[in-house]
Amino acid sequence: MAYETINVTIQDRIALIKLDRPEAMNALNGQLLRELAAAVALADNNEKVRCIVLTGSDKAFAAGADITEMADKSFVDMYVSNFFGPETQQFLQVRKPIIAAVAGYCLGGGCELAMMCDFIIAADTAKFGQPEINLGVVAGIGGTQRLTRLVGRSKSMDMHLTGRFMDAEEALVSGLVSRKVPAKKLLDEALSVAGKIADKSQLAVTSAKQAVHAADEMSLSAGCAYERSLFQALFSTEDQKEGMRAFIEKREAQFRDK
């Protein structure tokens, strides 16, 4: 597909998607989210893709939602169109792992988009925030919910009520990001991690992703029961046999996703 607001390349079993609205610091508008939803859906259905990396520019992953697109809309406009709703739901339905590689500003809708990915690798230049309060609104793409689950109620409340930014070190300590790297090494690190995931059994990878996400929705007992059912089901696969046999034989496993 031809895109105007993102760039997509597929190489070595990894789909690299770059947000590309430099004039707006990659602010999210309807077109970008529609193109992004289409791109991740295509990657999810592409047998050559085993992991997705989503990134922006050195200056900004995404500096927020596009205020100029929203400023004059009414409640009816937003409600009837379910603004941003269908695109974010399509993004969340992707079964393959999505890594956010974040440098620079990751604010508002950009922070929400990063949190919708499976985990975040941050450059030491990254700045995270949910400053919607400064615009007279609140987060609208899951920011109040996901940030609270990731960093806890107190810090989430602090950020949503004051609009302050969190730097990469605080984000790492708080659990918002999985690792922090020098900005020059950000993409190399993200692609290296994606490559390691691509080497695994995709049956196990998808199951692990499903199980971890279920932790946000289920009680501990229900989540453990769901995890156990996935664990047991994987014993019906060739990859389980190969993985355990390779471990016993002290060699690298050759997974076939069967």
Side-chain angles (χ1 to χ4, degrees), residues 73-82:
K73 290 186 181 295
S74 67
F75 162 74
V76 173
D77 294 331
M78 300 295 275
Y79 181 79
V80 170
S81 67
N82 192 17

Side-chain angles (χ1 to χ4, degrees), residues 2 11-12 17 60 64 71 81 124 135 150 153 165 173 185 209 229 231 241-242 248:
Q11 187 173 359
D12 296 331
I17 302 176
S81 67
D124 52 12
L135 303 173
L150 289 168
R153 178 179 179 273
F165 297 169
V173 172
K185 296 183 178 180
K209 173 171 174 169
S229 70
F231 169 72
K241 301 295 184 290
E242 165 62 12
I248 293 169

